[in-house]
C-alpha cells in the first residue's frame, strides 16, 4: 500500500495525510485527467497491477485501488 500511496502523492500532489481509502481520486484528491493517466500507468508499470478497461473505469477511490491490488496479491 505504501508504494500505491507514494504513486498517488506523486501524481496528484496530495499530502500523505490526505490519502486514505475513503478518498475519491477526482473529488477529494483533485486528480485531473492527466494525473489519472499517470496514476493508472504507474499502477501497471511500477506496482504490477493488470487492469481491464472496465476495471479502470470502476476505480473511483483510493480504496478501490487497494482492493484491486489485494485481489491481485500485490
Amino acid at each position: 500500500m505504501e508504494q500505491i500511496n507514494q504513486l498517488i502523492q506523486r501524481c496528484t500532489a496530495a499530502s500523505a495525510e490526505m490519502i486514505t481509502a475513503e478518498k475519491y481520486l477526482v473529488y477529494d484528491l483533485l486528480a485531473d485527467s492527466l494525473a489519472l493517466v499517470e496514476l493508472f500507468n504507474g499502477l501497471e508499470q511500477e506496482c504490477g497491477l493488470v487492469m481491464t478497461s472496465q476495471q479502470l473505469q470502476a476505480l473511483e477511490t483510493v480504496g478501490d485501488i487497494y482492493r484491486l491490488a489485494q485481489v491481485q496479491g500485490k
Side-chain angles (χ1 to χ4, degrees):
M1 302 293 174
E2 185 60 33
Q3 186 178 16
I4 291 171
N5 287 355
Q6 289 175 356
L7 181 61
I8 292 170
Q9 271 187 275
R10 199 168 61 239
C11 293
T12 65
S15 67
E17 296 80 28
M18 291 178 62
I19 301 172
T20 62
E22 308 79 36
K23 298 292 183 174
Y24 282 85
L25 298 170
V26 173
Y27 303 115
D28 297 321
L29 302 181
L30 305 177
D32 60 16
S33 58
L34 180 59
L36 291 174
V37 169
E38 290 176 1
L39 174 60
F40 297 147
N41 283 336
L43 289 170
E44 289 182 334
Q45 294 175 2
E46 296 176 33
C47 301
L49 296 181
V50 178
M51 297 174 277
T52 66
S53 59
Q54 208 170 30
Q55 288 172 315
L56 189 62
Q57 291 175 348
L59 296 177
E60 295 183 340
T61 67
V62 174
D64 292 338
I65 297 172
Y66 291 165
R67 282 186 287 286
L68 180 64
Q70 187 175 20
V71 166
Q72 292 188 17
K74 306 290 180 182

